[in-house]
Amino acid sequence: MTNGNFRVTFPDNEYGQYSIQQIDLTGKIVSQKRVTVNMKAQTEEVKIGTQLTSGSYLVRIVNGSKNVASTNTLLLE
């Protein structure tokens, strides 16, 4: 994470539409970015929502079928 952004890499994901969601610990989606994956090892830069305060958040990747592809933790200081 740098300069209010973080990167998400899609190493071996199927090509298609994905949603990168930032979720607070209550389960509320606080920010979302839709991306189209059309090459192997594609990397997307995601802006951290300016309204987010320090704390832990989840970053969830959801595919076009609404299936969760991955979930990771994002810690804002």
Side-chain angles (χ1 to χ4, degrees), residues 9-64:
T9 301
F10 295 85
D12 295 319
N13 295 71
E14 292 183 19
Y15 296 166
Q17 300 291 314
Y18 289 84
S19 178
I20 303 169
Q21 303 171 339
Q22 296 171 54
I23 303 168
D24 68 16
L25 294 181
T26 68
K28 179 182 173 190
I29 297 172
V30 293
S31 180
Q32 182 167 238
K33 178 180 180 180
R34 297 191 189 281
V35 298
T36 300
V37 174
N38 55 16
M39 63 184 189
K40 293 287 183 191
Q42 180 171 326
T43 299
E44 291 290 328
E45 191 155 313
V46 181
K47 185 167 185 63
I48 295 172
T50 56
Q51 78 282 9
L52 301 184
T53 58
S54 296
S56 294
Y57 295 86
L58 297 176
V59 176
R60 182 167 60 193
I61 311 300
V62 180
N63 66 19

